[in-house]
Amino acid sequence: MKSFVNVFLIIFLPIALILLLTFHFSSNSAMESAERQLLMEMQSKWNILATKQFDSKFDRYTVAHIQEISKNTQLRITFISNGGDVLYDSRTGKNGSYINPLSQPEIEGAEDGDFAYDIREIPGSHKKTFYLAKRYSDEMYLRIAYPMTYLEALQSETLAQNVRIFLFAFIIVAGITLFMARRVSVPMSKLSYIADCVEAGEKDIDFPVFKDKTMSKVAAIFARLYNSMEKEQTLLENERSKLNHIFSILDEGIILLDLNNSIKHYNTQVEHQLGCVLEIDKNILSVVNDFDVINFISEVINIKEDTRLQTTFRKSTYEVFIKILEDEKLIVLYNIDERNKYETFKAELIGNITHELKTPLSMIMGYAETLRNNVDIDKKNLEKFLGVIHGNSKRLNNLINDILELHRLEQTGDHILSEPMDVKAVFEELEERYSHYTVKTVFTTTVEEIGIIREHFITVATNLADNAHKYSSSETIEVSVERIGDEVELRVIDEGPAIPPEEKTRIFERFYTVNKSKNRNQTGTGLGLSIVKHIATIYGGSVTLASNSKGGNTFLVTLFEREVAQIEEE
């Protein structure tokens, strides 16, 4: 309705104004034309009167003649002397009492011999009179007066006629304007409604069909734009969803701020890092109340250029990336504690591997070089040197195998359990393996099957048993398996000597060995217990060391069983 009124007024008001101006100017033009016509008629009558010879004494005959002319023409005829005396007036006679005629505009204008006129009301009356004067002779002026009743009647008739014409035109224009306004405003209202729906983000908008070809084209353009916008919006929503998903799984904390430090975007990781809850469109300093967080954020947001720096926050080290955009600031927080630990661990691991590999290699190279330089060496020393080379070669091979095994477990430790493990069958196999050892190995079990991968179980059992054979002086080594609840416990018990308390926490470190082997040639690689610990971690369990009543060591490995995976057959 509002648009209809607006369109109506926009069309109608200018046309109505033009009609009013036309009415005004036509009325004025008609009156001016009538006034000019009256002036011409009055001049013609004055000239006719001037042709008559009136006696300047105004005798009876002359007065009668003037009265007759005045009666027939409705003219008021007045003769005025140069001194301003009224010599004769057809209405009042001779020497009437008048305002000084010489002060009247028509007499003043006639002094130069031309016609002059004036329109004014008669004193004591509201009727207007047309006065025309000109010098009649050297001694006097002739003035004629005619009532304006005709001209006023003509003016009234002209005004009434113009009003009728104006009202008729007004009605016609109003009707045409109403039709045009409706024709324009209804489609515009519908298009405006569609635009409001599009702006509000509504879906499934029904675009109307118009009879007017132009409006139909406009509606088609709206529909194409809307469909294009919907496609773009769908793409943007998908991209935003992908971006939010990517942000949610990143280890880095991400905050996007505007120039006023209001939050435009963030991920959950940054909330965990800062230990506070953030809100979109809120100033980041207004949503935190922790002094440490405020200091940390203030330091970061005050940076005005692209920067990459490291800083400490709550005993953790963060790598901070700051990117200044056109009207936004992107801040990325990355906790590098684990990376630092990994770098330290990698450096130590490389150092340990280098050290462990260097020792047997040095022995092998040294004895090999001795044999090369001493071709005639005696048989006893030759066998000794070859034994050392062979022993260190085996140690080097074992070390490499253990490193490869540990790497394999770390890369592919989460194997699928295809079938439960037969404990008795595995123990029979292990009994055969250790049957030739001097120290007796006893295997006992209270369960038949367990949900542990066979290779993992054998690796744990053999590493612990080998470790006992290398370092223990006992006559018997016991290996047992039992189930307690949903846990499987593997125990390896020897009779000593007991591992010192200060070394109990270190023996599970990589490449750490207890230098008390009963046979120096059987020194381990230092990776066996580390492999055991890693396998226990894969099964969510643990490995512990304790002293026992026999004066030896008891290794207890706790493993949580896995369910057998169902493999579909094709």
Side-chain angles (χ1 to χ4, degrees), residues 87 114 145 169 256 258 263 307 328 358 437 536 544 560 570:
L87 301 177
D114 293 330
L256 184 64
D258 61 14
I263 302 171
T307 306
E328 294 173 325
K358 186 177 180 181
Y437 279 55
T544 58
F560 287 88
E570 295 183 358

Side-chain angles (χ1 to χ4, degrees), residues 247-461:
F247 282 168
S248 65
I249 63 177
L250 289 177
D251 292 331
E252 294 85 352
I254 298 175
I255 309 175
L256 184 64
L257 305 176
D258 61 14
L259 297 180
N260 297 319
N261 295 325
S262 294
I263 302 171
K264 307 306 294 182
H265 189 82
Y266 67 93
N267 63 352
T268 55
Q269 184 64 27
V270 77
E271 290 185 314
H272 295 315
Q273 290 174 340
L274 298 179
C276 61
V277 178
L278 304 180
E279 295 183 43
I280 297 294
D281 294 329
K282 291 290 186 67
N283 188 290
I284 188 169
L285 294 177
S286 67
V287 297
V288 297
N289 52 18
D290 186 273
F291 185 74
D292 292 336
V293 178
I294 293 175
N295 286 340
F296 177 67
I297 293 297
S298 299
E299 178 185 353
V300 172
I301 64 177
N302 285 331
I303 298 174
K304 304 300 182 183
E305 58 185 11
D306 293 353
T307 306
R308 177 177 180 176
L309 57 89
Q310 285 190 11
T311 184
T312 302
F313 172 64
R314 288 180 176 171
K315 299 181 180 179
S316 295
T317 303
Y318 286 88
E319 197 166 46
V320 183
F321 301 87
I322 301 173
K323 178 68 176 177
I324 306 299
L325 307 176
E326 183 177 354
D327 54 357
E328 294 173 325
K329 179 186 293 185
L330 178 65
I331 301 173
V332 180
L333 306 178
Y334 181 46
N335 190 321
I336 59 174
D337 285 346
E338 291 298 325
R339 188 176 74 183
N340 291 340
K341 290 179 181 178
Y342 173 75
E343 293 295 335
T344 302
F345 165 75
K346 184 171 69 172
E348 292 177 353
L349 180 61
I350 292 174
N352 290 334
I353 291 175
T354 303
H355 175 74
E356 294 296 329
L357 292 176
K358 186 177 180 181
T359 301
L361 280 174
S362 298
M363 296 288 289
I364 294 170
M365 291 175 64
Y367 280 96
E369 186 177 359
T370 301
L371 291 176
R372 180 182 179 185
N373 296 332
N374 297 278
V375 181
D376 299 329
I377 192 170
D378 59 88
K379 184 177 181 180
K380 181 179 179 180
N381 286 326
L382 177 62
E383 291 178 354
K384 176 182 177 183
F385 290 173
L386 290 176
V388 173
I389 292 174
H390 181 262
N392 280 280
S393 298
K394 288 181 62 178
R395 184 167 184 268
L396 182 61
N397 182 65
N398 292 335
L399 180 63
I400 292 173
N401 288 336
D402 284 347
I403 292 174
L404 292 176
E405 175 67 13
L406 184 60
H407 177 71
R408 184 182 67 82
L409 290 171
E410 289 179 342
Q411 296 298 319
T412 59
D414 196 16
H415 293 294
I416 297 175
L417 180 63
S418 58
E419 60 181 359
M421 189 195 80
D422 187 337
V423 180
K424 291 184 177 180
V426 171
F427 275 3
E428 288 176 0
E429 180 181 331
L430 294 179
E431 285 176 350
E432 179 65 23
R433 173 176 176 172
Y434 292 102
S435 62
H436 304 294
Y437 279 55
T438 304
V439 178
K440 183 179 181 181
T441 307
V442 179
F443 295 91
T444 59
T445 179
T446 60
V447 294
E448 295 182 356
E449 294 182 341
I450 56 175
I452 305 296
I453 295 173
R454 176 185 175 89
E455 290 78 7
H456 291 170
F457 182 86
I458 292 176
T459 299
V460 171

